[in-house]
């Protein structure tokens, strides 16, 4: 597939509009993802969303610790009244009936308090009507403990907390019977002895909030609890799907050779935005789009992740790849590929011109050496020749005797300069003469190279030479595997990756737009 970019300069205004569009879309994605997180946390943390209170309970075999001691009101309003329908949550009938009966008792007692004084003697005159309510509450408490209506909402632990609090209130221990504790609590004598307002306050503060958290969630025809979240998610999914189609279509029009489907694959991460399943994975397109909209910068994280990923792969793959290549070369050698190559080489050569490239390369280097290099190194070469001549002359016994004669002390320097100059001059003139265009010289050079090549091929094709060459190459590769192909350590990989990063940065510095360079100048 060939991809050609139809590049057109983008005006500043258009670029700014594109950035605004990206930011608007990423805000929508962020809002949708927050809604998804809220929906996922709604059922597990229904108690918090219902009461808006926060308290962490640490349970140990010897002690229960509440932090803080009293729950803190975090949310100023009840969200469940507006969102329970999304999850199909409805108040549990038995829990509602239980709390309604407590409210009825509270109303009767308040009415009777208006008639009687608050002392214990007058509280004994409570009517039989309140006694019937106490009896109903004892029955309802017994049914609640035995039937466990909290099990439907997977809140059996809440029922245990209710039972423990009632045991602690009546017996000051959690090891007694919860059923008996409720029977004692919902009795007229107990309310008269302890004070009905005190007991009702205990129930309102400690028991009622736990009973209120119980709910009923019916099952749908698919056997799963009802969930109408798709109604809230549908508008977002529609927008994201249309934007995905539009963006991929624009990419396919912008790049020649890229089909619409291939453009969709380029934006594979956006598919999570309109999938009705795997909703938590929308964090992937959200993160990428936040970076594209320049609201966050993930380049450093991307580089570190890439380095880590490459390091993990390289540590295992590099030795495997190298050993695999060496094994293939050894297999080819053992199958006689070298001999086949040498035999077929002469018949498979094809000439695309009328001259010998090797001879021309040799002449090119020779011309450069003679006309460019030799004149520039002349002072250094003459100095070297002079030094070696003077050194050899100084070691001669005849020259040592000549130095005793008058006027012979500077003979060494004079002879050295003349010798080095004349020798280098003769060498240069010889090479210059050889470098002249001479058809006979060219013919002899080509003939020499051709003869050398043919002789080398004939000698290598000998069975003894072939066997020796194959053996030596195979043994060399085997030694190379043993001695040099080793697993890279983490330190080696870090050094290689760091060197790669430095090279890439140096390369990026050279790829500066010409207009920017002119602007700086």
């Amino acid at each position: 597939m060939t991809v050609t970019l139809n590049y057109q300069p983008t005006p500043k205004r258009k670029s700014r509009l594109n950035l605004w569009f990206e930011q608007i879309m990423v805000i929508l994605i962020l809002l949708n993802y927050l809604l998804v997180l809220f929906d996922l946390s709604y059922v597990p943390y229904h108690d918090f969303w219902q009461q808006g209170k926060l308290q962490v309970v640490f349970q140990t075999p010897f002690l229960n610790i509440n932090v803080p001691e009293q729950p803190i009101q975090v949310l100023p309003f009840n969200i469940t009244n507006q969102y329970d329908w999304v999850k199909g949550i409805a108040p549990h009938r038995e829990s509602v009936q239980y709390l309604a009966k407590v409210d009825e008792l509270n109303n009767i007692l308040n009415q009777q308090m208006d008639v009687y004084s608050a002392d214990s003697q007058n509280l004994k005159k409570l009517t039989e009507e309140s006694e019937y309510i106490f009896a109903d509450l004892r029955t309802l408490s017994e049914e609640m403990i035995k039937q466990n209506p909290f099990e439907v909402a997977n809140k059996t632990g809440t029922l245990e907390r209710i039972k423990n609090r009632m045991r602690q209130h009546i017996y000051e221990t959690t090891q007694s019977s919860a059923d008996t504790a409720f029977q004692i609590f919902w009795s007229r004598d107990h309310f008269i002895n302890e004070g009905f307002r005190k007991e009702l306050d205990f129930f309102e503060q400690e028991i009622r909030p736990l009973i209120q958290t119980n709910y009923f969630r019916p099952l749908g025809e698919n056997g799963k609890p009802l969930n109408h979240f798709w109604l809230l998610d549908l508008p977002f999914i529609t927008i994201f799907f249309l934007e995905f189609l539009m963006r991929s279509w624009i990419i396919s029009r912008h790049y020649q050779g890229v089909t619409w489907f291939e453009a969709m694959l380029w934006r594979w991460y956006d598919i999570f935005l309109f999938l009705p399943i795997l909703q938590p994975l929308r964090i992937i397109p959200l993160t990428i789009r936040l970076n594209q909209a320049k609201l966050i910068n993930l380049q450093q994280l991307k580089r570190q992740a890439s380095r880590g990923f490459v390091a993990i792969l390289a540590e295992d793959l590099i030795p495997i790849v190298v050993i695999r290549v060496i094994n293939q070369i050894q297999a080819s050698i053992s199958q006689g590929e070298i001999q086949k190559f040498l035999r077929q080489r002469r018949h498979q050569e094809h000439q695309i011109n009328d001259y010998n490239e090797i001879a021309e390369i040799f002449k090119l280097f020779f011309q450069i050496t003679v006309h460019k290099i030799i004149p520039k190194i002349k002072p250094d070469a003459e100095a070297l020749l002079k030094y070696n001549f003077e050194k050899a002359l100084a070691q001669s016994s005849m020259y040592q005797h000549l130095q005793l004669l008058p006027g012979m002390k500077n003979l060494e320097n004079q002879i050295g300069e003349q010798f080095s100059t004349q020798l280098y001059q003769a060498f240069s003139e010889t090479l210059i003469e050889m470098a002249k265009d001479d058809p006979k010289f060219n013919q002899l050079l080509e003939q020499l190279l051709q003869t050398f090549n043919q002789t080398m091929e004939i000698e290598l094709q000998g069975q003894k030479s072939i066997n020796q060459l194959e053996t030596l190459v195979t043994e060399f590769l085997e030694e190379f595997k043993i001695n040099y192909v080793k697993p890279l350590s983490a330190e080696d990989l870090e050094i290689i990756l760091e060197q790669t990063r430095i090279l890439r940065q140096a390369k990026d510095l050279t790829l500066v737009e010409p207009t920017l360079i002119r602007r700086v100048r």
Side-chain angles (χ1 to χ4, degrees), residues 299-312 497:
Q299 295 303 318
Q300 185 66 24
L301 179 62
K302 180 181 177 182
R303 284 194 293 267
Q304 292 297 330
S306 300
R307 292 179 63 179
F309 182 72
V310 170
I312 293 173
L497 293 173

Side-chain angles (χ1 to χ4, degrees), residues 210-364:
L210 297 179
I211 297 178
Q212 284 178 336
T213 61
N214 192 26
Y215 59 83
F216 175 75
R217 191 181 182 190
L219 300 178
E221 294 182 356
N222 58 358
K224 297 181 180 180
L226 288 179
N227 190 353
H228 303 300
F229 178 72
W230 66 271
L231 292 174
L232 300 179
D233 201 31
L234 182 60
F236 291 98
I237 288 179
T238 304
I239 295 174
F240 298 151
F241 181 68
L242 294 177
E243 190 258 352
F244 175 76
L245 293 179
M246 180 189 69
R247 187 185 293 271
S248 57
W249 181 80
I250 292 175
I251 291 175
S252 66
R253 300 287 294 177
H254 193 62
Y255 294 91
Q256 294 181 359
V258 177
T259 64
W260 195 359
F261 178 74
E262 291 170 343
M264 291 180 183
L265 296 180
W266 283 14
R267 306 284 300 188
W268 61 270
Y269 48 85
D270 283 342
I271 297 177
F272 294 112
L273 293 176
F274 49 85
L275 284 180
I277 58 176
L278 303 176
Q279 296 164 341
L281 293 182
R282 295 180 187 179
I283 187 63
I284 297 175
L286 173 61
T287 305
I288 296 175
R289 299 286 283 268
L290 283 170
N291 183 58
Q292 292 175 350
K294 299 182 180 180
L295 296 178
I296 60 175
N297 188 357
L298 297 178
Q299 295 303 318
Q300 185 66 24
L301 179 62
K302 180 181 177 182
R303 284 194 293 267
Q304 292 297 330
S306 300
R307 292 179 63 179
F309 182 72
V310 170
I312 293 173
L313 290 180
E315 187 173 358
D316 296 328
L317 288 182
I318 289 178
I320 294 174
V321 172
V322 174
I323 292 176
R324 178 62 177 167
V325 171
I326 294 175
N327 289 339
Q328 289 178 346
I329 296 174
Q330 289 177 322
S332 298
I333 294 173
S334 62
Q335 294 172 4
E337 292 296 332
I338 293 180
Q339 189 172 1
K340 293 178 183 179
F341 172 76
L342 293 175
R343 289 175 179 176
Q344 298 174 0
R345 184 175 179 274
R346 296 176 61 185
H347 304 286
Q348 293 180 348
E349 287 185 349
H350 300 281
Q351 294 290 341
I352 61 175
N353 45 49
D354 298 331
Y355 51 84
N356 191 327
E357 290 82 1
I358 298 178
E360 293 298 325
I361 292 173
F362 177 79
K363 288 191 291 183
L364 177 62

Side-chain angles (χ1 to χ4, degrees), residues 64-161:
N64 292 338
I65 303 175
N66 297 331
V67 180
E69 186 174 351
Q70 294 297 328
I72 300 176
Q73 189 72 33
V74 178
L75 299 179
F77 50 86
N78 188 348
I79 298 178
T80 56
N81 294 334
Q82 288 76 32
Y83 203 82
D84 273 352
W85 68 270
V86 177
K87 293 298 184 181
I89 292 176
H92 199 284
R93 289 191 298 270
E94 296 181 12
S95 299
V96 172
Q97 182 182 1
Y98 192 100
L99 295 178
K101 187 63 67 174
V102 175
D103 291 337
E104 185 179 351
L105 175 63
N106 193 9
N107 292 333
I108 291 176
L109 294 178
N110 286 332
Q111 291 175 4
Q112 292 178 354
M113 279 298 297
D114 295 337
V115 178
Y116 303 107
S117 60
D119 58 82
S120 61
Q121 295 296 327
N122 290 326
L123 287 176
K124 293 179 181 180
K125 299 178 181 180
L126 292 173
T127 62
E128 293 182 357
E129 184 178 2
S130 62
E131 179 58 33
Y132 293 146
I133 296 176
F134 278 119
D136 291 340
L137 286 172
R138 289 193 293 270
T139 301
L140 292 174
S141 299
E142 184 178 0
E143 293 177 353
M144 180 177 67
I145 293 174
K146 291 182 179 181
Q147 298 178 5
N148 187 12
F150 294 83
E151 186 177 5
V152 178
N154 195 23
K155 297 176 69 65
T156 302
T158 301
L159 177 60
E160 292 300 319
R161 292 175 63 189

